[in-house]
Amino acid sequence: MPIPSAILSLVLGMALVLTGLWIGQNVELLPVAASLNAPIYDQLFKVLFSIGSILFIGIFGLLVFSLIRFRRRDGETGDGAAVEGNLQLEIFWTAIPAIVVLFVGIYSYDIYDRMGGMVPLSDPHSMHGAAMAPQASDGSAGAVIQASVLGTPLEPSKRIWGGIGSGQISAGPALPVEVTALQFAFLFHYPQGDITSGELHVQKGQPVELRMEARDVIHAFWVPEFRLKQDIIPGQPTLLTFTPIKAGSYPIICAELCGPYHGGMRSTVVVHEPDEFATWFEKNNTATVAIAPSTSSTG
């Protein structure tokens, strides 16, 4: 007795969904997760990978089945039967993609919000202001919350363009770093120690707040292991916050076509253990060297 088509379609659909979910949860395509942002982003990637696997296997399987089941037989010279007017099928293939797209949009928004992307930078209680705000003598947050997110005063009217940050998952004071992107290099300046470097050196477990500016054309700051990518646009100072959680060296890549040597615009972010970072910072701290007391004496 043949199996009813409805039951067969249901069983195949369930098998397809379970297979896609298994692939999305067990096949690892991403590099090592080296920041607090990474696990949150990876949740979204696994969902998208599962949906993509279901669609790919389903469409490819249906295509192979159609090629075999409806192939031209020996002796057949005419066209196949024209099938049209299936209202139920049209509703199905319109409703399912609409539901999937709506779900992905809502879930992506939630992930973006959890990573700090929806925090208003003009809000004095935002992640960018609260972490760096000094306390005034009366115990309230200083008036420089908006003007000194990185230790450098900003004009009150100067707009700061936001980027993804640590958001709800960040805690503790942030290390301020000024990033300058230009053809074809990244330059990193540490205001607290007056250090300028071609590499970004940070401490494991400490939030880092980057104030990024482009000198010429649009660039992009991308660290795959941190799951962070942010455009840097001339005339638009941009803040990007992250917290490294795994020591090591990771590539910084410009992900925006910025000129003929775009492919060579790379740098490195070095995540140190606390003791190693303290040693590196003191060794390169020109401000400390400049104020070192003189050892000469008068006779």
Side-chain angles (χ1 to χ4, degrees), residues 121-124 126 128-130 132-134 141-160 178 209 211 239:
L121 297 182
S122 60
D123 183 1
S126 69
H128 303 293
M132 296 298 299
V144 294
I145 287 179
Q146 298 179 23
S148 184
V149 292
L150 291 172
T152 303
L154 298 175
E155 298 83 354
S157 60
K158 189 171 184 180
R159 180 176 181 181
I160 298 295
E178 297 170 351
E209 192 164 67
R211 177 187 174 183
L239 291 177

Side-chain angles (χ1 to χ4, degrees), residues 28-296:
E28 296 292 339
L29 298 179
L30 296 173
V32 62
S35 78
L36 280 180
N37 305 78
I40 296 179
Y41 172 84
D42 290 354
Q43 295 176 19
L44 175 61
F45 180 83
K46 289 181 178 181
V47 170
L48 296 179
F49 191 27
S50 297
I51 294 174
S53 299
I54 293 172
L55 293 176
F56 174 78
I57 296 174
I59 294 174
F60 185 76
L62 183 60
L63 177 61
V64 173
F65 170 79
S66 299
L67 289 174
I68 298 174
R69 176 66 177 79
F70 303 107
R71 70 187 185 277
R72 183 186 295 272
R73 311 289 179 172
D74 293 338
E76 292 182 346
T77 58
D79 295 332
V83 180
E84 58 182 22
N86 192 325
L87 181 61
Q88 293 181 341
L89 182 59
E90 293 177 359
I91 293 176
F92 176 79
W93 71 36
T94 301
I96 295 301
I99 293 173
V100 171
V101 170
L102 181 62
F103 167 76
V104 170
I106 295 175
Y107 189 59
S108 299
Y109 179 91
D110 177 66
I111 294 294
Y112 187 65
D113 182 51
R114 289 164 61 189
M115 293 179 70
M118 300 306 299
V119 177
L121 297 182
S122 60
D123 183 1
H125 302 292
S126 69
M127 63 177 177
H128 303 293
M132 296 298 299
Q135 295 295 316
S137 58
D138 60 355
S140 61
V144 294
I145 287 179
Q146 298 179 23
S148 184
V149 292
L150 291 172
T152 303
L154 298 175
E155 298 83 354
S157 60
K158 189 171 184 180
R159 180 176 181 181
I160 298 295
W161 298 71
I164 293 177
S166 297
Q168 305 171 12
I169 57 179
S170 178
L175 171 69
V177 183
E178 297 170 351
V179 182
T180 301
L182 68 163
Q183 294 175 317
F184 296 94
F186 292 102
L187 296 179
F188 305 95
H189 179 252
Y190 298 74
Q192 293 179 348
D194 196 20
I195 301 172
T196 300
S197 172
E199 293 182 336
L200 178 60
H201 291 258
V202 296
Q203 176 179 308
K204 175 184 174 181
Q206 180 184 15
V208 180
E209 192 164 67
L210 305 180
R211 177 187 174 183
M212 304 189 295
E213 291 186 312
R215 290 289 178 84
D216 35 45
V217 299
I218 299 177
H219 299 276
F221 181 91
W222 179 34
V223 183
E225 287 78 6
F226 291 168
R227 312 294 192 264
L228 293 176
K229 182 190 291 183
Q230 175 63 47
D231 283 349
I232 312 175
I233 303 174
Q236 298 182 2
T238 301
L239 291 177
L240 181 65
T241 305
F242 66 90
T243 303
I245 59 173
K246 188 177 182 63
S249 297
Y250 309 105
I252 300 174
I253 303 169
C254 178
E256 192 76 35
L257 181 60
C258 58
Y261 299 102
H262 159 71
M265 186 171 173
R266 292 172 175 256
S267 184
T268 303
V269 52
V270 182
V271 181
H272 297 276
E273 295 290 348
D275 293 341
E276 294 177 354
F277 179 76
T279 301
W280 176 88
F281 194 87
E282 290 300 323
K283 180 180 179 181
N284 295 275
N285 190 343
T286 57
T288 302
V289 174
I291 63 175
S294 174
T295 57
S296 61

